Amino acid sequence: MHQAHATPKAVRRQHDREIVSLAVPAFGALVAEPLFLMVDSAIVGHLGTPQLAGLAIASALLSTAVSVFVFLAYATTAAVARRVGAGDLQAAIRQGVDGIWLALLLGAAVVAVLLPTAPWLVDLFGASDTAAPYAVTYLRISSLGIPAMLMVLAATGVLRGLQDTRTPLYVAIGGFTANAALNLGLVYGAGLGIAGSAWGTVIAQLGMAGAYLFVVVRGARRHGASLRPDAAGIRACAQAGAPLLIRTLSLRAVLMIATIVAARLGDADVAAHQIILSLWSLMAFALDAIAIAGQAIIGRYLGADDADGARQVCRRMIQWGVVSGVVLGALLVVTRPLFVPLFTSDPAVQDALLPALLVVALSQPVSGVVFVLDGVLMGAGDGPYLAWAMLLTLAVFAPVALLVPTLGGGLTALWGAMTLMMSVRMATLWLRERSGRWLVTGATR
């Protein structure tokens, strides 16, 4: 672990190998999630437009309900990685088990809220009279899979903390394949329509949760870790996750404000905004994969009392973030003539899209640094700082974005505001990294 006798070049090579071996499988697992939804959309789309509209509304509600709890993966990764670094695998797995119990409790609470309120929530999202019944059906059935989805998040965090991103990739591929087969069989074979698609997704999610539980239980048995719920451990997981929940909600608020502003700019602008947002999300997956590697590696170094190693690997990851951002930005500009016609043939949408895309391309190196530092500070268990930094970012972004329509700015100005938001995030995270206050070593923070 300590690199006192290694040359700087050898240390860099070792860091690069570790980053790639964790980031590449993590990227595959991240991309599998949106592919789930794409398959559902393709299969349900052939049933009719009201069914597809119903799926769109229900899946937006579901993804919001699940993404709010992404801290289950992040907080668990950091805590487990620290104990791995400290050489206490039994405590590492015990920590992960507490995270899985917390996921189950939160999942049960979300189901209890969603089942009775489904019609009201669908109505709140402005579903048409024809789409609403399909949305309610899909939402109610799919919500039964939420405890499994949250368990998958927590168990993914356990394995990432154990420096294993390959198993989550294999489970994601298995889940994706099962989901596609079940959807086809239940929607068309069994003639269940949109309910069949929802049941297919629930069964696939339960299968993924089962696969993770098998891996975690096997690890617990091997290292003599208890599988019983521990109130103090579950409470500690919730406390570690609370600041990351605030961070995630602030980030969701930024994206919601951006969509609300785009809707005020007119149909062509909101259509172009939707295209940019989907491309921005895809590039975010690539950068997030490096951040996940950062969470796992930094947590391990700090757990091993190697603050110097943590700082070195952090610097190397920042370089990775910048280079990845430059490459993604260049790819966006170069491949523009190829993908824009795939999304839209409307000249008005294309005109709104092109200048805004250039702004997004130029801001990718900033995004690269933001994602990496976010991952580093999460790996260090620096949640409270991340929460405050994101609240500050939201406070800067909201008035600027809301002024865009008033001042007559179009979509390019809105994405300029999004770039300002990422720049503020970069400044707050960079200042924290420079301060060194995140370098708290030991098995627990």
Side-chain angles (χ1 to χ4, degrees):
M1 186 70 68
H2 289 275
Q3 301 146 337
H5 307 299
T7 64
K9 206 170 184 179
V11 171
R12 265 205 312 274
R13 267 208 304 273
Q14 183 203 333
H15 288 159
D16 290 348
R17 266 201 305 275
E18 256 190 313
I19 293 164
V20 170
S21 70
L22 287 170
V24 172
F27 176 67
L30 286 169
V31 170
E33 273 303 308
L35 289 177
F36 252 75
L37 187 57
M38 273 171 62
V39 167
D40 288 7
S41 303
I43 291 168
V44 170
H46 289 291
L47 293 171
T49 303
Q51 285 92 330
L52 187 58
L55 171 72
I57 288 159
S59 61
L61 281 160
L62 276 168
S63 66
T64 302
V66 173
S67 67
V68 159
F69 297 111
V70 77
F71 70 81
L72 286 165
Y74 294 160
T76 310
T77 300
V80 171
R82 267 185 184 271
R83 285 170 169 78
V84 168
D88 192 347
L89 279 175
Q90 184 184 14
I93 291 169
R94 177 65 254 184
Q95 179 84 35
V97 170
D98 290 336
I100 291 171
W101 278 111
L102 176 63
L104 261 178
L105 290 171
L106 290 171
V110 174
V111 175
V113 171
L114 275 184
L115 284 177
T117 59
W120 177 77
L121 285 168
V122 165
D123 194 41
L124 191 70
F125 261 60
S128 67
D129 292 345
T130 47
Y134 295 114
V136 172
T137 300
Y138 191 91
L139 184 59
R140 278 198 165 138
I141 296 168
S142 288
S143 69
L144 300 175
I146 285 179
M149 290 184 206
L150 298 190
M151 279 173 67
V152 164
L153 279 178
T156 303
V158 177
L159 293 175
R160 286 175 185 167
L162 294 168
Q163 318 292 300
D164 173 10
T165 54
R166 281 168 191 261
T167 304
L169 173 63
Y170 300 146
V171 175
I173 292 169
F176 172 73
T177 310
N179 180 58
L182 285 162
N183 263 284
L184 277 171
L186 294 172
V187 173
Y188 297 117
L192 293 176
I194 195 164
S197 175
W199 280 117
T201 304
V202 169
I203 296 164
Q205 294 286 357
L206 285 168
M208 287 170 74
Y212 275 122
L213 276 180
F214 173 76
V215 174
V216 172
V217 168
R218 195 180 58 187
R221 292 231 169 96
R222 189 183 308 144
H223 297 288
S226 167
L227 291 165
R228 287 206 185 102
D230 170 45
I234 294 168
R235 207 166 37 247
C237 283
Q239 281 167 349
L244 295 179
L245 175 63
I246 293 167
R247 169 203 163 273
T248 304
L249 287 172
S250 306
L251 196 51
R252 296 295 298 188
V254 163
L255 296 174
M256 261 174 61
I257 290 167
T259 302
I260 290 164
V261 170
R264 284 198 208 156
L265 297 174
D267 285 356
D269 278 346
V270 79
H273 175 72
Q274 203 47 47
I275 294 166
I276 292 176
L277 206 54
S278 59
L279 291 163
W280 194 70
S281 302
L282 183 65
M283 291 187 293
F285 282 130
L287 298 172
D288 210 17
I290 305 172
I292 286 166
Q295 288 171 35
I297 296 169
I298 293 291
R300 197 189 73 224
Y301 272 105
L302 293 176
D305 291 328
D306 188 359
D308 190 45
R311 197 186 275 283
Q312 280 181 23
V313 81
C314 170
R315 299 241 164 97
R316 189 61 180 157
M317 296 193 100
I318 292 169
Q319 291 166 358
W320 270 82
V322 172
V323 171
S324 304
V326 169
V327 170
L328 287 170
L331 272 173
L332 196 63
V333 173
V334 171
T335 58
R336 202 179 48 190
L338 301 174
F339 67 73
V340 170
L342 292 178
F343 283 108
T344 180
S345 55
D346 185 334
V349 176
Q350 289 189 3
D351 287 346
L353 190 63
L354 295 175
L357 263 182
L358 286 175
V359 173
V360 174
L362 288 169
S363 70
Q364 282 312 294
V366 172
S367 297
V369 175
V370 167
F371 275 89
V372 164
L373 288 178
D374 217 25
V376 164
L377 295 183
M378 276 183 202
D382 205 9
Y385 182 83
L386 289 171
W388 283 112
M390 199 61 226
L391 283 169
L392 171 70
T393 304
L394 175 60
V396 172
F397 170 76
V400 175
L402 293 169
L403 274 173
V404 168
T406 317
L407 298 175
L411 191 65
T412 309
L414 175 60
W415 277 92
M418 287 289 279
T419 303
L420 168 72
M421 180 272 295
M422 290 304 277
S423 304
V424 172
R425 282 186 79 190
M426 184 173 79
T428 56
L429 297 173
W430 184 78
L431 284 169
R432 186 64 167 181
E433 191 276 327
R434 297 292 293 168
S435 77
R437 286 192 197 140
W438 55 281
L439 288 162
V440 181
T441 57
T444 53
R445 186 180 165 94

